[in-house]
């Protein structure tokens, strides 16, 4: 099994405490469907900066919101597992990257 990183981009933040609780429950249900393939549930990201060769700019250029790490048999398997991710319901996307062992 290979490791894959899910990078969550965009999506809408729930506005009310009730909606935030529903969103957290949806994430819990989705992670439950992934079962033992989840090796690191990850974290949402907070403040960010973009560092270039000659400057630092506040804010991340890519608008990445968080990550998770899973194990899957292939890139196709990993992308299929991402299909039910709650970030998709808020208009966001999931980028799937294979983590190359070193």
């Amino acid at each position: 099994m290979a490791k894959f990183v899910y990078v969550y981009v965009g999506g809408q933040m729930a506005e009310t405490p009730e909606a935030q609780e529903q969103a957290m429950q949806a994430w819990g249900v989705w992670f439950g469907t992934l079962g033992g393939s989840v090796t690191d549930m990850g974290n949402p990201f907070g403040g960010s900066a973009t560092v270039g060769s000659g400057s630092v700019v506040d804010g991340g250029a890519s608008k990445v919101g968080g990550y998770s790490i899973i194990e899957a048999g292939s890139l196709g398997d990993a992308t299929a597992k991402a299909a039910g991710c709650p970030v998709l319901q808020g208009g966001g996307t999931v980028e799937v990257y294979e983590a190359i062992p070193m």
Side-chain angles (χ1 to χ4, degrees):
M1 291 284 225
K3 287 189 179 180
F4 293 86
V5 179
Y6 288 168
V7 177
Y8 308 116
V9 182
Q12 297 294 318
M13 179 64 142
E15 294 183 12
T16 66
E18 295 81 15
Q20 291 169 0
E21 178 60 30
Q22 287 178 338
M24 291 304 295
Q25 288 177 4
W27 279 93
V29 168
W30 178 64
F31 278 122
T33 68
L34 298 177
S37 64
V38 178
T39 63
D40 180 351
M41 288 178 66
N43 293 89
F45 295 144
S48 63
T50 300
V51 179
S53 62
S55 66
V56 175
V57 178
D58 285 343
S62 64
K63 306 301 180 208
V64 172
Y67 78 96
S68 298
I69 301 173
I70 68 149
E71 288 183 328
S74 66
L75 179 59
D77 183 28
T79 57
K81 290 179 180 192
C85 180
V87 77
L88 303 173
Q89 303 306 312
T93 61
V94 180
E95 295 182 7
V96 182
Y97 295 92
E98 184 173 1
I100 305 299
M102 297 188 65

